[in-house]
């Protein structure tokens, strides 16, 4: 017989694991939602980085583009 006390609390990761991995439907939903959120975060970050590196070179940054000169 083992007389050492067992830890019944577990860690934070063990609790999250038990919460998510309990049922397959919850796990699949978590994976799909995580992929969607991750894709949105990466898309936002890359877009902001691209805009930061291309300030002044974009179509929106040229103030007179498409305007006709006024005839006086």
């Amino acid at each position: 017989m083992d007389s050492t006390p067992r830890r019944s609390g577990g860690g934070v990761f063990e609790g999250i694991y038990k919460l998510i991995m309990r049922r397959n439907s919850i796990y699949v939903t978590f994976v799909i939602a995580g992929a969607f959120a991750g894709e949105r975060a990466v898309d936002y970050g890359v877009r902001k980085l691209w805009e930061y590196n291309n300030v002044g070179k974009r179509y929106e940054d040229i103030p007179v583009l498409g305007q006709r000169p006024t005839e006086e």
Side-chain angles (χ1 to χ4, degrees):
M1 301 229 168
D2 192 13
S3 63
T4 58
R6 300 188 85 201
R7 293 186 344 179
S8 61
V12 174
F13 293 117
E14 186 176 343
I16 292 172
Y17 178 80
K18 285 182 181 179
L19 178 69
I20 293 173
M21 301 295 279
R22 184 176 304 173
R23 298 178 66 195
N24 190 40
S25 60
I26 295 173
Y27 178 67
V28 170
T29 303
F30 177 77
V31 168
I32 291 172
F36 181 74
E39 185 268 336
R40 298 287 292 187
V42 169
D43 183 48
Y44 178 79
V46 169
R47 182 180 311 272
K48 287 298 180 183
L49 182 65
W50 188 88
E51 288 177 358
Y52 176 77
N53 286 329
N54 290 301
V55 172
K57 302 173 194 173
R58 300 176 301 158
Y59 181 81
E60 299 89 25
D61 296 334
I62 303 171
V64 295
L65 194 61
Q67 295 179 359
R68 294 181 185 224
T70 56
E71 296 179 21
E72 294 182 33

